[in-house]
Amino acid sequence: MRADRRFSEQCLSQLRAAIADAGGNEVFALGRMDDKGVVRRITITARGNEGQVLAWGMEDMEDGKNPASPPDVFIHNHPSGLLTPSDNDLAIAGKAAESGVGAYIVDNPVEHVYVVAEPIRRRKQKKLNAERIIAALLEGGDVARRLPSYEPRQSQLDLMALIIRAFNEDALAAAEAGTGVGKSFAYLLPALHYALENDERIVISTATITLQQQLFEKDIPLVSSAMHKKVKAVLMKGRGNYLCRRRLGDALREPDLDAAERDEMERLSKWAETTKTGSRSDLSFTLPENLWSRVCSDADLCMGLRCPERERCFVLALRKEAADARIIVVNHHLLFADLAARHAGAGYKGAVVLPPYTRVIIDEAHTIEAAATSFFSKEFSRLGLYRQLGRLYRSRGVNRRGLLVRLESMFPAGNRADAAAVAIKKIRDAIDDLDEPARELCGMEGVFRLTPRDSSVMEAALFPPLRGLRKKILSLAEIVRNRLEQVPDADQDNPAVWETKTVVRRLDDIAGICAAFLEYRERPNEVMWIEKRLSGGEDPWAAFTQSPVELAADLKASLFAPSKTVVSVSATLTVNGTFSYWAGRSGLSLVEDRPVLFGRFPSPFPYGSAVLLASPEEAPLPDEDRYQDFINASVGRLAAIAGGSALILFTSYQSLRSAYTATLPELEPLGIRCLKQGDDDRTRLLRTFLDDQSSVLFATDSFWEGVDAPGDTLRLVILCRLPFRSPSDPVFEARREAVEKRGGSPFMDLSLPEAVMKFKQGFGRLMRRSSDHGVVAVLDGRLIKKRYGTFFLRSLPETRVSFSNFETILRDAERFLYL
């Protein structure tokens, strides 16, 4: 066939030039066709001899190599002029045909083409009609009519227009949408329209369960109703949130459950017969974590097709629902679990953790680096290792329990697990020997990072017990594997066998972390660190953690590069008016040859009249001796002026305790209830605060964001200190060093922008509705005394200000709140 029937003139010229440049040798190219089936654009991907080129072609044909911009046809030349396909050609063509990709062979002059496999014409993308979709949020629009007291917001309409462009142009987009913009509807309308009109699946990922529930239960049904079309949406959580019926049955048959535990399990069993989802969040009662962990779904323990409860499996039912859903709502952790598996080799075209998708919306996108760090970190501790060993074997007097004891029934009489029991006792002794010196290394700060400067003390105190622990863990794993190999074929599907294999894999993982600690010098993109932890009345213990230092390249490769559209939205993505910091940390700045859209959409709230920003001119710097005394004396007086209704945010629990102790006697006689983080779990503590308008909540890190307290519940936010990360944070310290190694400024390129973004989150706790009104007081002298304080101030919306002495600020705050 004549080549000019299949290629444009430009592509013919490009191919001829590439072949000439290769000296007439083989060239491999990817072609993309127009609506008439003519190749209009090609990308030369390899040059060389036949073996090199075809080997590359086979590699590229691995499932889902580049779903963001998939080729329509693979093109390869035969220098001999004989266009009959070779076995390698047929192998590539067959692999390509599985994905609907065609395969052409051309001669060196590119005058003739042999069609090995015809490409499947791709369905033409249906562009979104921006005017029609935006009209839904104009006055009288289909969505606007369904929202009480709704007023059109230009910033919301502009945000929606940007997101529509991202879908229509297969682009990546980052949008900072201030509080009150209404970002959920701004992305849901384009997403639902696009999913329906193009029959594509779109994943929406959030950082909080609260937002997941709101999207799934309220916002998506409302938008779907306004569109007068049914859009199937599914809410997916990590499988640990769902009950496993098989594990529940196994737990109920365990003889060592005490009476209280058996009552809880039987109550759970009754619930299992009535629940539709099996989701822990649907429980009408609270189940202790140690019991839920024994019955929840676990990927390592899943028996798949062999499971006797497969037909009633909650996770399988959810995946079946998700398979034909157009909208899937997930959290960041689940998204990263899916992306990591795909990037590691599972590919992008089939179902992995989630069904396949190529378009993603990431809400609360300012958290994705932290979420990815958490997901890719690995850790073990004495308590965690105890739990794994206890699952294998435990004894009390003559009573013996555990998986290894259950396995004994599969062997001839007398074939006991005594060797494993001895090995387990040695591991318990070894982790105890390791835990003490590890805690001592953590010192007063409670954390220790492995670095060459401490090599001598680590070689003396840490590494010998660490090597011993690793050796003993590997020895136990080998003993248990040998017993598993002796299990008769008839018993291979026994749940005890599966659970034992899982424990062995987890022991291998712990041994791997031990090895990473011992090899810390050889792992420049990882940081190994120890943290001393304390919970309840338990003795302190050491947690050993292995964390990634830089994630930008991995995020680019696994999220941005393979996806046709990624929309990242948050109220805090910029610092000093630019996206540079967030884009650099998230990997978006590494993307090339793709359209990337940015947009800032200011809050419609009247900050200029509704918020007073105050900072005392005499406020000391945090490293001054009188700083904590100033905090202790100031927060109570400010809270008293506001009559409670205050959120007081700290960056350390030690400072929080000091201020709480000093303030409590001052506020309680005024009828102001003082609440302190740590006195109750986060959800109940926040509910108590929201229900009592005169209360004051003293809180740290996690309360700087995610607190939604509209109205008179919150009229005063006190930021006691600018939220710079502690220099003792091992991951942050390693990232600062990485920035410095690249020739950057650790302070300006990392510490300052991260602190500004968190500062914006803390400031944002005050205004949650347009009618809210109150004061934000910053008690850190650096805000107005240090030159970099302007970075913080420029990142906030325009407000009223009071940068005066503290007594003047008290009067200004009182007038602002009550006049």
Side-chain angles (χ1 to χ4, degrees):
M1 180 186 297
R2 285 171 44 187
D4 58 6
R5 294 183 179 179
R6 292 282 179 152
F7 297 91
S8 69
E9 282 297 328
Q10 180 181 353
C11 288
L12 289 172
S13 299
Q14 190 176 350
L15 274 172
R16 289 167 184 153
I19 293 170
D21 289 344
N25 288 313
E26 288 76 18
V27 169
F28 198 87
L30 309 180
R32 292 168 179 83
M33 304 186 309
D34 61 16
D35 296 340
K36 296 179 181 179
V38 175
V39 176
R40 294 285 180 187
R41 184 160 55 96
I42 63 170
T43 303
I44 306 299
T45 55
R47 297 177 177 86
N49 59 48
E50 181 181 15
Q52 292 172 323
V53 170
L54 292 178
W56 188 94
M58 288 300 292
E59 179 184 343
D60 190 65
M61 278 314 303
E62 289 301 316
D63 187 18
K65 208 63 169 171
N66 187 17
S69 184
D72 295 304
V73 62
F74 286 83
I75 306 157
H76 168 56
N77 66 306
H78 277 190
S80 66
L82 298 176
L83 303 189
T84 303
S86 66
D87 289 344
N88 281 332
D89 290 330
L90 293 173
I92 290 180
K95 191 78 173 176
E98 293 175 8
S99 302
V101 178
Y104 295 171
I105 301 173
V106 298
D107 54 9
N108 274 17
V110 200
E111 293 176 350
H112 299 90
V113 59
Y114 183 97
V115 179
V116 184
E118 285 282 6
I120 295 176
R121 297 283 184 89
R122 300 187 185 277
R123 185 172 50 203
K124 187 176 181 180
Q125 180 192 40
K126 294 182 180 178
K127 305 282 188 181
L128 295 178
N129 184 320
E131 185 177 346
R132 178 168 61 88
I133 295 174
I134 289 173
L137 283 174
L138 295 176
E139 190 170 353
D142 289 337
V143 172
R145 290 199 309 270
R146 288 169 167 78
L147 297 171
S149 306
Y150 176 80
E151 295 179 1
R153 287 158 277 187
Q154 189 59 48
S155 53
Q156 183 183 47
L157 304 180
D158 293 342
L159 171 60
M160 195 187 311
L162 180 84
I163 294 171
I164 290 171
R165 278 189 61 198
F167 277 105
N168 285 344
E169 299 175 17
D170 288 349
L172 308 174
E176 182 176 78
T179 307
V181 165
K183 53 185 168 61
S184 298
F185 287 116
Y187 62 67
L188 283 177
L189 272 160
L192 268 64
H193 274 283
Y194 196 93
L196 279 179
E197 293 174 22
N198 290 278
D199 193 28
E200 286 196 32
R201 183 180 293 109
I202 296 170
V203 170
I204 301 174
S205 181
T206 78
T208 62
I209 294 176
T210 302
L211 183 52
Q212 281 181 274
Q213 298 289 146
Q214 178 184 316
L215 290 172
F216 181 70
E217 295 174 3
K218 297 179 180 178
D219 296 349
I220 291 174
L222 188 150
V223 172
S224 181
S225 171
M227 292 168 58
H228 305 291
K229 293 179 181 178
K230 178 68 174 177
V231 182
K232 184 172 182 180
V234 169
L235 172 64
M236 295 186 74
K237 307 171 189 174
R239 66 186 303 154
N241 289 281
Y242 299 95
L243 178 70
C244 173
R245 293 182 186 273
R246 178 190 63 77
R247 296 191 72 201
L248 174 61
D250 290 346
L252 285 167
R253 288 188 290 273
E254 287 188 11
D256 58 339
L257 285 176
D258 62 35
E261 290 175 334
R262 187 164 297 281
D263 288 345
E264 292 280 17
M265 288 298 187
E266 289 176 351
R267 190 179 182 190
L268 186 65
S269 181
K270 292 178 182 178
W271 172 80
E273 298 307 316
T274 60
T275 177
K276 293 181 179 179
T277 66
S279 173
R280 187 180 186 181
S281 62
D282 293 343
L283 278 172
S284 58
F285 55 94
T286 301
L287 190 72
E289 180 61 37
N290 67 312
L291 293 184
W292 178 257
S293 66
R294 293 166 71 172
V295 298
C296 67
S297 180
D298 187 313
D300 290 334
L301 298 173
C302 181
M303 296 180 66
L305 292 171
R306 299 180 178 88
C307 181
E309 293 286 357
R310 177 177 173 79
E311 296 302 317
R312 299 200 304 157
C313 175
F314 292 115
V315 171
L316 186 59
L318 178 67
R319 290 187 170 179
K320 287 179 179 177
E321 284 291 300
D324 63 349
R326 298 301 88 188
I327 301 292
I328 298 180
V329 181
V330 302
N331 60 26
H332 293 344
H333 192 274
L334 192 63
L335 175 67
F336 286 126
D338 183 78
L339 291 173
R342 294 182 187 279
H343 185 53
Y348 290 81
K349 290 201 169 77
V352 186
V353 178
L354 304 176
Y357 55 92
T358 59
R359 302 186 194 273
V360 186
I361 295 171
I362 301 178
D363 203 341
E364 302 169 307
H366 65 282
T367 65
I368 64 172
E369 185 187 24
T373 301
S374 174
F375 176 79
F376 289 108
S377 292
K378 305 171 186 176
E379 76 167 42
F380 79 91
S381 67
R382 173 169 52 87
L383 297 185
L385 184 52
Y386 278 0
R387 280 194 292 271
Q388 297 304 321
L389 298 175
R391 288 178 65 189
L392 283 178
Y393 182 89
R394 57 195 181 277
S395 63
R396 183 178 299 170
V398 297
N399 294 320
R400 301 160 63 249
R401 298 284 185 266
L403 292 166
L404 294 178
V405 178
R406 290 165 62 185
L407 291 183
E408 288 179 358
S409 65
M410 304 172 194
F411 296 103
N415 191 341
R416 290 162 51 101
D418 294 341
V422 171
I424 287 171
K425 173 66 168 59
K426 290 180 179 179
I427 293 175
R428 286 180 172 272
D429 292 341
I431 186 62
D432 289 344
D433 291 342
L434 172 64
D435 195 73
E436 183 176 352
R439 284 186 282 112
E440 289 177 357
L441 285 174
C442 292
M444 294 297 293
E445 291 183 339
V447 67
F448 177 80
R449 175 190 167 204
L450 275 65
T451 61
R453 64 176 175 266
D454 295 310
S455 60
S456 59
V457 68
M458 291 187 297
E459 283 292 347
L462 184 68
F463 287 170
L466 192 61
R467 291 189 187 99
L469 176 64
R470 179 174 180 268
K471 182 178 179 180
K472 292 176 175 62
I473 288 175
L474 292 175
S475 176
L476 172 64
E478 187 63 23
I479 290 171
V480 178
R481 282 196 190 93
N482 289 337
R483 288 191 68 78
L484 288 171
E485 289 174 0
Q486 299 168 23
V487 171
D489 291 343
D491 293 316
Q492 285 294 330
D493 288 343
N494 189 299
V497 173
W498 284 75
E499 297 220 12
T500 303
K501 290 179 179 178
T502 297
V503 175
V504 171
R505 283 195 293 270
R506 291 178 178 169
L507 290 175
D508 285 338
D509 289 342
I510 293 173
I513 299 172
C514 292
F517 268 67
L518 295 168
E519 301 163 359
Y520 76 98
R521 290 176 183 266
E522 302 162 28
R523 296 169 178 261
N525 196 37
E526 290 181 305
V527 55
M528 319 303 164
W529 52 288
I530 306 169
E531 182 181 24
K532 183 165 62 177
R533 295 180 182 173
L534 183 66
S535 177
E538 296 180 350
D539 293 332
W541 70 92
F544 299 77
T545 305
Q546 172 185 357
S547 297
V549 176
E550 299 286 15
L551 285 163
D554 290 330
L555 287 171
K556 177 230 174 182
S558 61
L559 172 62
F560 295 114
S563 302
K564 292 180 179 177
T565 298
V566 180
V567 175
S568 303
V569 294
S570 171
T572 52
L573 289 184
T574 67
V575 175
N576 208 24
T578 77
F579 288 86
S580 299
Y581 169 73
W582 177 84
R585 301 305 305 176
S586 68
L588 183 59
S589 64
L590 301 178
V591 174
E592 298 175 345
D593 303 323
R594 292 280 307 278
V596 181
L597 312 175
F598 293 97
R600 297 176 66 204
F601 306 93
S603 170
F605 290 169
Y607 286 94
S609 59
V611 175
L612 174 68
L613 176 65
S615 187
E617 58 189 10
E618 72 270 33
L621 305 184
D623 57 359
E624 295 181 30
D625 292 339
R626 58 194 182 92
Y627 168 74
Q628 189 61 48
D629 291 338
F630 180 81
I631 296 295
N632 295 348
S634 301
V635 295
R637 296 185 67 189
L638 283 166
I641 288 290
S645 305
L647 175 63
I648 307 175
L649 295 172
F650 299 81
T651 59
S652 81
Y653 198 73
Q654 181 179 359
S655 180
L656 181 156
R657 284 197 302 267
S658 177
Y660 176 86
T661 301
T663 304
L664 186 65
E666 183 179 347
L667 295 182
E668 279 197 333
L670 301 177
I672 297 173
R673 184 180 184 182
C674 294
L675 306 169
K676 174 167 59 70
Q677 183 177 346
D679 288 346
D680 205 343
D681 74 68
R682 188 182 192 279
T683 301
R684 283 195 294 268
L685 189 66
L686 189 54
R687 173 50 52 196
T688 302
F689 174 64
L690 294 175
D691 289 343
D692 186 348
Q693 288 190 7
S694 64
S695 64
V696 173
L697 175 57
F698 293 72
T700 58
D701 189 64
S702 65
F703 285 80
W704 281 73
E705 56 185 278
V707 176
D708 193 2
D712 289 339
T713 300
L714 183 58
R715 298 192 301 161
L716 171 65
V717 173
I718 302 176
L719 308 180
C720 293
R721 187 168 180 164
L722 297 180
F724 285 100
R725 189 88 69 95
S726 168
S728 65
D729 183 306
V731 178
F732 194 67
E733 181 185 37
R735 287 175 176 167
R736 283 174 53 90
E737 291 170 3
V739 170
E740 188 170 27
K741 191 176 294 185
R742 293 194 298 267
S745 164
F747 181 76
M748 296 300 295
D749 296 344
L750 186 62
S751 298
L752 180 60
E754 190 201 53
V756 170
M757 288 184 68
K758 189 161 186 175
F759 179 78
K760 291 168 67 175
Q761 285 286 336
F763 174 89
R765 295 315 93 210
L766 181 67
M767 285 283 287
R768 308 308 298 172
R769 304 290 185 272
S770 60
S771 58
D772 289 350
H773 170 261
V775 176
V776 177
V778 182
L779 303 183
D780 187 333
R782 293 175 294 181
L783 183 68
I784 55 179
K785 294 176 182 177
K786 294 290 186 179
R787 187 185 307 176
Y788 58 74
T790 58
F791 280 82
F792 293 89
L793 295 173
R794 286 181 198 152
S795 293
L796 299 180
E798 187 174 340
T799 67
R800 294 189 183 182
V801 296
S802 177
F803 295 160
S804 308
N805 62 68
F806 186 69
E807 296 300 326
T808 301
I809 284 176
L810 288 176
R811 291 192 295 271
D812 290 345
E814 187 171 24
R815 281 195 298 269
F816 188 79
L817 289 171
Y818 297 107
L819 297 181

